[in-house]
Amino acid sequence: MQLATLRELYVDELRDLYSAENQILKALPKMAKAASSAHLKNAFQEHLEQTKGHVQRLDKIFDELGARAKGKKCRAMEGLIEEGKELLEKDVEPDVLDAGLIAAAQKVEHYEMAGYGCVRTYAKLLGDDQSAELLQETLNEEGETDEKLTELAESTINLKAMHDGQSDEEQKQEIETVGT
Ligand code: FE
Ligand code: FE
């Protein structure tokens, strides 16, 4: 496909995101199932619901444009999800797995944030303010999810993962050292 105009690039990038979101829709339930932390499970389930909304917003934009949503496979998302799957196939301590799932999910969110930031900007340039607004809403939700994952990781999950594999004695020592 030849891309001669910014509008064509805009549609191409929207298709990339459409494919990415649909791949995430399939991956998120598996990630929620694999997570041990109830908070992390919830975060994935909540984002699954948001992701359904992201697809709907894209459907609406494609309708307005009179363009087909399908026709592109987002290889980057395919790769990110593939890496996440590799983690699930390994023998990983549950808390370490949770930390790894957060890392995988944050890579996905950052990919989406980059994509939505670009198409939001193109939509504005092309005078498509309504779509720009919808894309900004999705961008905000991806950003909020990323922040929520950081908070979960930093407040509990990374710390639990750090303690996996340590003996009680080592953990006690560490707490004592931190306490001094
Ligand atoms: Fe999304
Ligand atoms: Fe997302």
Side-chain angles (χ1 to χ4, degrees):
M1 181 189 163
Q2 228 191 332
L3 299 176
T5 62
L6 185 70
R7 188 185 183 278
E8 282 171 7
L9 179 66
Y10 174 52
V11 174
D12 197 60
E13 292 285 341
L14 285 171
R15 284 193 181 127
D16 182 86
L17 282 164
Y18 193 77
S19 162
E21 294 283 19
N22 279 292
Q23 293 183 56
I24 297 163
L25 272 185
K26 287 191 202 148
L28 274 170
K30 292 175 196 160
M31 292 168 80
K33 202 175 154 206
S36 300
S37 149
H39 292 295
L40 185 57
K41 263 185 204 292
N42 273 344
F44 286 149
Q45 269 150 5
E46 264 174 43
H47 199 54
L48 174 63
E49 291 312 309
Q50 282 181 325
T51 301
K52 290 176 189 168
H54 301 172
V55 173
Q56 282 171 357
R57 284 186 192 128
L58 289 173
D59 274 327
K60 208 166 153 189
I61 293 169
F62 279 109
D63 268 358
E64 294 280 324
L65 287 167
R68 246 164 39 91
K70 289 184 182 151
K72 195 174 176 183
K73 175 116 192 184
C74 177
R75 290 184 192 281
M77 192 52 68
E78 198 179 19
L80 288 174
I81 290 172
E82 192 55 46
E83 280 193 8
K85 265 192 207 149
E86 280 172 23
L87 185 73
L88 296 182
E89 284 158 9
K90 285 182 191 149
D91 182 21
V92 191
E93 285 290 329
D95 294 328
V96 176
L97 179 62
D98 278 0
L101 285 169
I102 290 183
Q106 287 195 293
K107 288 176 192 170
V108 166
E109 294 314 312
H110 279 249
Y111 180 86
E112 292 187 283
M113 282 153 73
Y116 278 107
C118 290
V119 288
R120 181 273 330 265
T121 301
Y122 299 159
K124 268 193 203 166
L125 275 171
L126 295 166
D128 187 356
D129 291 339
Q130 212 187 331
S131 298
E133 223 168 277
L134 289 175
L135 295 166
Q136 182 66 52
E137 281 173 36
T138 296
L139 178 57
N140 293 345
E141 288 176 2
E142 310 294 16
E144 284 158 17
T145 300
D146 179 55
E147 279 171 29
K148 193 196 278 175
L149 291 170
T150 297
E151 209 186 288
L152 268 178
E154 290 184 350
S155 65
T156 50
I157 290 174
N158 287 352
L159 302 172
K160 281 192 184 171
M162 195 167 71
H163 290 141
D164 270 351
Q166 281 184 336
S167 67
D168 289 350
E169 193 53 38
E170 280 172 322
Q171 286 190 27
K172 220 168 90 190
Q173 263 177 9
E174 198 171 281
I175 290 162
E176 278 164 10
T177 320
V178 172
T180 52

